[in-house]
């Protein structure tokens, strides 16, 4: 009886500690974001954007709109519930700096204000109304194969441990794993999309964190296609388009295109970049 009581008390203590950590993490993240992006201001002058941010340490960066390489509109689950989007960019500054994180046009903007904010800052639309071409549906199968391999590495040892507690725990864990895996694979396929016109490449991706990235074709520096062993078996390939920018969005990845379509897009992007006007600006 005493051992059982100690075990239950230890279990409750562990659960409380786990919940405490889960509560502390978002509080710390929110506090860090507030200190970093508090009192954010954005001004557009005749030739540049001036961005200032920070509550304790005030930082300022200036960038010319024609130096912006990619533009990304992002929203997480909580932000979407609040009707907010994050707008950030990568720019060709000539060198990496400690202020690479200062690539925001808006760290949190109301959804309705994003198109006007983007248009007023960099003279392009936000890309929300673009019709997107889906990637191959075989990406669902690829994700399920990856889930199966991960289950073999993680799920099987966990199942062996759970079997000592109760056989039903193994069944419940396995069913939950595959329900989540199927949902994620299908949701990921629905979210992935690409659009290519005469002026820009637009890529949409992300299941929980939604990203919509656009890249002017004149900014394309290189185009790379890659395919893993399992992708080759399915006839799929990744397409990566790189720019001269720095920061997290200096390149754009389009995963799991049909291999032939990836080659077509790579050639089209290469031709578009070669045909674009290039000039050296002071």
């Amino acid at each position: 009886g005493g051992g059982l009581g100690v075990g239950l008390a230890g279990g409750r203590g562990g659960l409380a500690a786990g919940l405490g950590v889960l509560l502390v993490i978002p509080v710390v993240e929110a506090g860090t974001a507030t200190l970093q992006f508090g009192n954010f201001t954005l001004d557009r002058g005749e030739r540049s954007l001036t961005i200032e941010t920070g509550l304790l340490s005030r930082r300022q960066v200036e960038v010319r709109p024609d130096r912006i390489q990619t533009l990304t509109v992002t929203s997480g689950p909580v932000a979407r519930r609040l009707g907010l989007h994050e707008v950030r960019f990568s720019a060709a500054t000539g060198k990496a700096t400690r202020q690479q994180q200062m690539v925001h046009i808006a760290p949190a903007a109301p959804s309705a204000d994003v198109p006007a904010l983007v248009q007023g800052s960099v003279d392009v639309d936000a890309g929300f109304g673009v019709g997107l071409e889906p990637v191959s549906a075989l990406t669902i199968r690829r994700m399920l194969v990856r889930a199966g391999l991960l289950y073999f590495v993680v799920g099987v040892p966990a199942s062996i441990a759970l079997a000592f507690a109760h056989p039903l725990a193994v069944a419940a864990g396995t069913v939950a794993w595959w329900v989540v895996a199927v949902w994620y694979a299908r949701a990921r396929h629905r979210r992935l999309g690409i659009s290519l016109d005469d002026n820009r490449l637009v890529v949409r991706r992300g299941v929980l964190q939604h990203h919509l990235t656009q890249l002017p074709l004149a900014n394309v520096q290189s185009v790379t296609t890659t395919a893993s062993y399992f992708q080759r078996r399915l006839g799929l390939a990744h397409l990566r388009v790189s720019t001269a920018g720095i920061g997290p969005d200096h390149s754009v990845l389009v995963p799991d295109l049909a291999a032939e379509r990836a080659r077509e897009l790579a050639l089209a992007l290469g031709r578009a970049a070669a045909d674009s006007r290039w000039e050296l600006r002071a």
Side-chain angles (χ1 to χ4, degrees):
L4 179 60
V6 171
L8 290 175
R12 286 194 296 266
L15 179 60
L19 291 175
V21 171
L22 292 177
L23 291 174
V24 167
I25 289 175
V27 170
V28 172
E29 289 181 346
T32 302
T34 300
L35 292 175
Q36 183 178 355
F37 297 115
N39 199 19
F40 181 95
T41 61
L42 170 70
D43 295 308
R44 178 163 183 173
E46 184 177 345
R47 298 190 63 188
S48 67
L49 299 175
T50 301
I51 301 166
E52 292 189 40
T53 185
L55 289 181
L56 298 180
S57 298
R58 195 74 178 154
R59 295 182 177 90
Q60 176 179 309
V61 66
E62 293 192 19
V63 62
R64 284 173 50 175
D66 58 5
R67 299 290 199 223
I68 290 177
Q69 301 292 294
T70 65
L71 183 75
T72 300
V73 181
T74 302
S75 63
V78 175
R80 288 194 298 275
R81 296 287 294 179
L82 298 174
L84 299 175
H85 284 80
E86 173 189 16
V87 185
R88 65 176 187 261
F89 63 86
S90 68
T93 64
K95 63 178 181 178
T97 71
R98 290 183 300 173
Q99 298 178 350
Q100 286 188 35
Q101 69 271 21
M102 290 192 57
V103 294
H104 288 81
I105 290 177
S111 302
D113 295 347
V114 170
L117 180 65
V118 172
Q119 179 70 42
S121 301
V122 292
D123 299 326
V124 298
D125 65 68
F128 289 140
V130 175
L132 297 172
E133 166 192 343
V135 302
S136 173
L138 290 173
T139 187
I140 297 176
R141 185 184 301 179
R142 176 172 171 263
M143 287 296 101
L144 292 179
V145 170
R146 292 183 66 178
L149 294 175
L150 187 59
Y151 181 79
F152 180 78
V153 174
V154 177
V156 171
S159 297
I160 294 173
L162 288 173
F164 290 100
H166 200 288
L168 289 179
V170 178
T174 302
V175 170
W177 178 283
W178 286 106
V179 167
V180 172
V182 172
W183 168 82
Y184 179 85
R186 294 173 63 87
R188 178 178 177 274
H189 173 249
R190 287 194 301 269
R191 286 292 308 165
L192 286 171
I194 182 173
S195 173
L196 178 65
D197 59 25
D198 294 335
N199 300 311
R200 63 180 176 172
L201 170 71
V202 179
V203 179
R204 184 184 67 192
R205 60 183 177 84
V207 177
L208 298 179
Q209 193 83 0
H210 291 181
H211 304 269
L212 186 70
T213 300
Q214 54 181 302
L215 184 162
L217 298 185
N219 294 341
V220 174
Q221 295 290 306
S222 66
V223 184
T224 306
T225 58
T226 59
S228 67
Y229 172 78
F230 291 107
Q231 283 180 305
R232 293 196 300 273
R233 293 292 298 270
L234 294 172
L236 301 176
H238 287 339
L239 178 71
R240 183 178 292 277
V241 187
S242 297
T243 72
I246 63 171
D249 297 321
H250 77 282
S251 66
V252 180
L253 176 67
V254 188
D256 291 342
L257 289 165
E260 184 61 32
R261 183 57 177 151
R263 286 190 290 269
E264 291 175 359
L265 286 172
L267 290 173
L269 287 165
R271 285 194 297 266
D275 293 341
S276 64
R277 182 182 178 184
W278 185 91
E279 59 180 297
L280 180 64
R281 296 185 176 93

